[in-house]
Amino acid sequence: MGSEATKLADQTPFHPDEIQRMRSKYYHLLLQPRREGRPAHKLDKATFSSNFTDPRIGGLAFELFDAGNTGEVDFREFVTILAVLMRGTDEEKVDCCFELYDCDHTGYISHENFTYMAASFFTVMRGLVEQQRRTSTAAGLAHQFSMIDLHQEETLLVIGRLFSTADKQQNGQISREEFRLFCKQHPQLLAPLTSVLRATQHACGWDWVTEAPAQSPLAPAVCSLM
């Protein structure tokens, strides 16, 4: 175990003792269902998600942590994704966020993916829409929201326009490069990463972290889960 912690420490920004403590949190996710009478022998999607207050967020988090798309999250994947969420570079966080939006692992973000993220993290997307209204960059729509409170349906309407703006090729999907460019203009799109991190910390009884995750220039403020 010590050897594995040392190897992971060489590959991530974490110290070996931090990785040892992460292992206990990993097993917390695996063992909690057993304590509730639901035996679990592997950290599959059902087991992983059952630890989350909001199963929808748990499902999205699982798809992010299951980097190998094997249907299970192993300890190495757990540590590797946490390394990006907590101490990754701006570029790493943008690429990680792309994987979060691309929740069906197609290699691009569909309109359905984009809309699902808007619904899952409505508070974040509402803020993005309000920014659009203030800057009048949502062409043809900004005037519609100038005198009214934004509701979810109206937010999703603007999200559709944002998707079209990001989809430079106008082929109904957002590529990784298009997403990178769009995040530079709208860093709020990265806020779901912070929400996933906080939800994961809560799910695995995160009581040992004394250091707050470093905020990158692109990273937005912590958002509330819907």
Side-chain angles (χ1 to χ4, degrees):
M1 184 181 296
S3 176
E4 182 185 23
T6 300
K7 289 180 180 178
L8 286 172
D10 290 338
Q11 299 166 4
T12 68
F14 297 123
H15 298 296
D17 59 334
E18 290 179 303
I19 292 173
Q20 295 284 29
R21 290 192 290 270
M22 282 182 179
R23 180 173 288 280
S24 70
K25 302 308 174 186
Y26 175 82
Y27 281 118
H28 178 94
L29 293 174
L30 182 62
L31 295 177
Q32 184 62 26
R34 294 185 186 180
R35 298 188 186 101
E36 298 173 358
R38 294 178 286 111
H41 304 288
K42 58 184 180 181
L43 201 52
D44 56 18
K45 187 171 185 176
T47 303
F48 188 94
S49 303
S50 68
N51 289 275
F52 286 71
T53 303
D54 185 340
R56 176 173 50 185
I57 302 303
L60 286 168
F62 175 83
E63 296 298 339
L64 181 64
F65 278 89
D66 181 22
N69 197 24
T70 61
E72 299 178 30
V73 175
D74 62 32
F75 182 62
R76 178 177 293 277
E77 289 174 322
F78 183 69
V79 172
T80 300
I81 295 300
L82 283 177
V84 175
L85 295 180
M86 296 177 68
R87 300 175 189 172
T89 65
D90 291 339
E91 291 77 10
E92 288 172 335
K93 289 181 179 179
V94 169
D95 281 344
C96 188
C97 197
F98 178 87
E99 300 298 336
L100 182 62
Y101 279 77
D102 177 24
C103 52
D104 49 7
H105 307 293
T106 60
Y108 60 85
I109 301 171
S110 66
H111 187 276
E112 183 179 3
N113 295 151
F114 202 76
T115 304
Y116 184 73
M117 290 296 293
S120 300
F121 299 93
F122 178 55
T123 300
V124 180
M125 296 306 183
R126 180 187 177 93
L128 178 57
V129 171
E130 289 177 339
Q131 181 195 47
Q132 293 295 294
R133 181 179 61 179
R134 288 194 302 270
T135 59
S136 298
T137 55
L141 285 177
H143 68 282
Q144 297 181 24
F145 305 115
S146 60
M147 301 299 293
I148 60 176
D149 183 36
L150 291 171
H151 299 292
Q152 185 169 2
E153 293 78 10
E154 295 160 336
T155 299
L156 295 178
L157 178 62
V158 179
I159 289 299
R161 289 296 182 93
L162 287 168
F163 178 88
S164 296
T165 302
D167 179 16
K168 298 294 186 183
Q169 298 295 322
Q170 294 299 297
N171 58 1
Q173 59 192 40
I174 299 173
S175 68
R176 187 179 297 271
E177 186 57 32
E178 287 173 331
F179 186 74
R180 288 170 179 163
L181 293 173
F182 203 54
C183 282
K184 291 182 179 179
Q185 299 174 322
H186 304 289
Q188 300 96 325
L189 291 170
L190 299 180
L193 285 183
T194 305
S195 290
V196 166
L197 172 61
R198 295 292 186 247
T200 303
Q201 290 173 331
H202 182 267
C204 61
W206 207 268
D207 56 2
W208 58 268
V209 174
T210 57
E211 177 187 4
Q215 285 285 348
S216 72
L218 285 178
V222 176
C223 65
S224 300
L225 295 180
M226 183 179 171

